Amino acid sequence: MKFNFTLEKLLDFRKENEDSLKQEYMNLGIELSLKEKRINELLSEKNNLMYAIEPTIGRMQIQRNYLDEIDQQVSRLRLESLKLQQSIAGLLERLVRAQQERKVLEKLEVKQKNEFETRLAHEEQKELDEFANRKILKGGENYE
C-alpha cells in the first residue's frame, strides 16, 4: 500500500505559483538594477559636462539643453525606480504568503504520511498477531 497525499495537486499548484513569483521578483530586481545603473551613468555624464567649458554661446546653449534633458531623464528614471520598488515590495509580500501557504500543505502532508505509516504498521502487526493466533489454535508450535 502506497501513501497518496490527497492535496498533492494543490501543493504542486502552490509550488508553481511560488516559483512564478520568485521569477517575477528576480526580473523586477534586475530591471531596478538596470535603471539605477542608467541613472548613475547619466549623473556621471552630467557631472563631466558641468565642468566642460564651451567656447561659444551657441555651444553653451546646446550644452545647457542637453543637461536639462539629462535631468528630465534622471527624474523619469527615478520615478520608474520608485514604482518598481513599490512593485517589488508588494511582490515580496505575495511571495512570503505563497511560501507560508506551501509550508502549511507540506506540514499537513508529513503529518498525514506519518499517520498513514503508523496505521499501516498497526495493521501489519494485527495481521501478524492473527496469523500467530491461528497457528496456535490449529495446534501449531508455540514460540514463547
Side-chain angles (χ1 to χ4, degrees):
M1 188 182 273
K2 183 181 172 214
F3 173 72
N4 184 21
F5 183 50
T6 55
L7 300 174
E8 189 68 40
K9 287 184 181 182
L10 180 60
L11 179 59
D12 290 342
F13 172 77
R14 287 189 177 171
K15 285 179 182 177
E16 289 172 13
N17 182 48
E18 183 181 344
D19 289 343
S20 172
L21 289 172
K22 283 179 184 176
Q23 186 62 45
E24 189 177 347
Y25 183 80
M26 277 186 7
N27 291 342
L28 287 179
I30 290 169
E31 188 177 343
L32 179 62
S33 176
L34 292 174
K35 287 196 185 304
E36 296 292 333
K37 180 179 177 187
R38 182 65 183 141
I39 288 170
N40 289 333
E41 289 170 352
L42 287 170
L43 291 175
S44 176
E45 183 177 349
K46 178 183 175 183
N47 192 36
N48 290 338
L49 286 173
M50 293 291 285
Y51 298 105
I53 299 172
E54 292 298 334
T56 66
I57 301 246
R59 297 278 299 165
M60 285 171 45
Q61 287 176 331
I62 291 171
Q63 182 183 16
R64 180 77 243 153
N65 290 341
Y66 185 65
L67 289 171
D68 289 343
E69 174 63 27
I70 288 176
D71 286 339
Q72 289 175 0
Q73 286 182 22
V74 167
S75 293
R76 181 182 50 80
L77 286 170
R78 283 186 173 152
L79 183 61
E80 290 173 7
S81 291
L82 182 60
K83 288 179 182 178
L84 268 175
Q85 288 171 354
Q86 291 170 342
S87 295
I88 288 172
L91 189 60
L92 184 59
E93 288 176 17
R94 288 174 47 209
L95 180 57
V96 167
R97 223 176 10 256
Q99 288 174 335
Q100 289 171 340
E101 290 171 353
R102 172 190 48 85
K103 288 178 182 180
V104 164
L105 281 181
E106 286 176 342
K107 287 178 183 178
L108 180 61
E109 180 182 25
V110 167
K111 181 181 176 188
Q112 285 184 0
K113 186 173 184 178
N114 288 340
E115 289 172 355
F116 172 81
E117 290 172 350
T118 301
R119 193 170 54 248
L120 190 61
H122 282 105
E123 288 175 13
E124 287 175 0
Q125 186 61 47
K126 184 178 174 183
E127 287 177 14
L128 288 173
D129 290 346
E130 286 177 10
F131 179 74
N133 286 338
R134 273 190 240 137
K135 194 167 187 175
I136 291 171
L137 290 174
K138 288 185 177 182
E141 297 179 19
N142 192 350
Y143 297 102
E144 289 186 23

